[in-house]
Amino acid sequence: HENDNEKMIEILNEALKKIKTKRQNLGLKHLLAAYKEKVGKIEEAIELYKEVAENGNKLYIVQEAKEKLENINRI
């Protein structure tokens, strides 16, 4: 389903309901933000990236999320 952005958003939202660990949750939110960005849901993507950046501690996706936020804000 990787080429179907809307379907991936749906799958990730369902997965988020089932995930219990913070690390997995943030990983899925990071992915979800990327798909929402692809379909033009920029505000939703920004909120997800912010959450990942603020709560991810030392996870590699924190830096990636911060970079995405900077790039979105430049547009």
Side-chain angles (χ1 to χ4, degrees):
H1 294 292
E2 284 181 24
N3 293 330
D4 184 348
N5 295 328
E6 292 293 340
K7 185 67 176 170
M8 282 303 295
I9 289 170
E10 189 180 312
I11 290 169
L12 289 168
N13 277 324
E14 284 302 310
L16 277 168
K17 293 175 188 172
K18 298 173 187 164
I19 296 299
K20 300 293 182 234
T21 70
K22 179 180 173 183
R23 184 171 168 220
Q24 288 176 317
N25 188 292
L26 289 172
L28 287 175
K29 285 183 178 181
H30 184 262
L31 262 178
L32 184 57
Y35 280 102
K36 286 194 181 253
E37 189 179 352
K38 285 181 186 179
V39 297
K41 295 180 179 177
I42 302 302
E43 290 301 316
E44 292 176 35
I46 288 171
E47 290 307 310
L48 287 162
Y49 283 134
K50 281 182 183 175
E51 186 176 343
V52 171
E54 291 168 6
N55 299 310
N57 297 330
K58 294 183 181 355
L59 293 177
Y60 74 95
I61 56 176
V62 169
Q63 187 57 38
E64 210 172 278
K66 287 179 181 175
E67 289 170 11
K68 285 282 193 180
L69 285 168
E70 285 177 22
N71 291 337
I72 288 172
N73 288 331
R74 285 190 200 137
I75 297 172

